[in-house]
Amino acid sequence: MRPVSVVAADVLGLLEGRGQTVAVAESLTGGLVAAELTAVPGASKTFRGSVTAYATDLKRELLGVDGALLGERGAVDADVAEEMAAGVAGLLGADWGVGTTGVAGPEPQDGQPVGTVYIAVTGPGGAGGVRGLKLDGGRAEIRSHTVRAALALLLGELIENGRAQDTEQAGGI
């Protein structure tokens, strides 16, 4: 498994090569995804910023997550992660957005057990994806694994989006 710092550098390198940017909306990770990205020298060329919306009302008020969705399902939900990612991209003027939400523990939240995590990536032209995780371990392990998974999802989406762009430029296959 590659170190998370290498994945972060790969993400930023791909973004820089395309002239694109990224922003991050974090809940359970509390700024750890942004910290990994900004630890890479030259991150300011592609990293727009982040919002740590730990409180549910901030997800709605700052990131534009649907209040009815939050009321119905709570903050730990795949659609919430996706709306967080889209919201932060719009708010901070980025091409790509990343969202993390979940339960790091020690207690369940919104009826969800500890280790329930959702990560999402949104990008240009409808690119993106959402992934649900069921993680074991303590609070620090859950948060660390979430950071790794979020950056890996972003990297995968960037690679896939690059392939799609290459196909479009070649006239389709």
Side-chain angles (χ1 to χ4, degrees):
M1 188 178 321
R2 295 174 351 148
V4 70
S5 59
V6 172
V7 177
D10 288 349
V11 161
L12 294 175
L14 283 173
L15 288 167
E16 184 178 356
R18 296 177 187 175
Q20 294 179 329
T21 57
V22 66
V24 180
E26 301 186 63
S27 186
L28 84 149
T29 49
L32 295 173
V33 175
E36 283 296 336
L37 290 168
T38 59
V40 176
S44 62
K45 295 174 187 169
T46 57
F47 182 72
R48 293 283 300 157
S50 65
V51 172
T52 300
Y54 213 64
T56 300
D57 62 319
L58 294 179
K59 291 172 182 65
R60 182 185 69 249
E61 293 169 16
L62 291 178
L63 300 172
V65 176
D66 185 310
L69 172 63
L70 289 166
E72 186 178 303
R73 298 190 210 160
V76 181
D77 181 79
D79 291 334
V80 170
E82 189 171 32
E83 288 191 18
M84 288 173 66
V88 78
L91 180 67
L92 300 183
D95 299 295
W96 292 87
V98 178
T100 68
T101 187
V103 186
E107 301 294 322
Q109 177 188 336
D110 294 334
Q112 300 288 343
V114 172
T116 303
V117 172
Y118 295 96
I119 56 176
V121 170
T122 60
V130 181
R131 188 166 168 218
L133 307 170
K134 298 292 184 192
L135 304 174
D136 293 321
R139 185 174 175 79
E141 292 170 293
I142 291 168
R143 294 173 75 208
S144 176
H145 189 82
T146 302
V147 171
R148 175 180 295 284
L151 289 173
L153 179 61
L154 176 57
L155 181 60
E157 291 298 325
L158 285 166
I159 291 168
E160 188 62 35
N161 184 259
R163 287 184 189 133
Q165 287 179 352
D166 289 345
T167 301
E168 287 175 16
Q169 290 173 358
I173 292 181

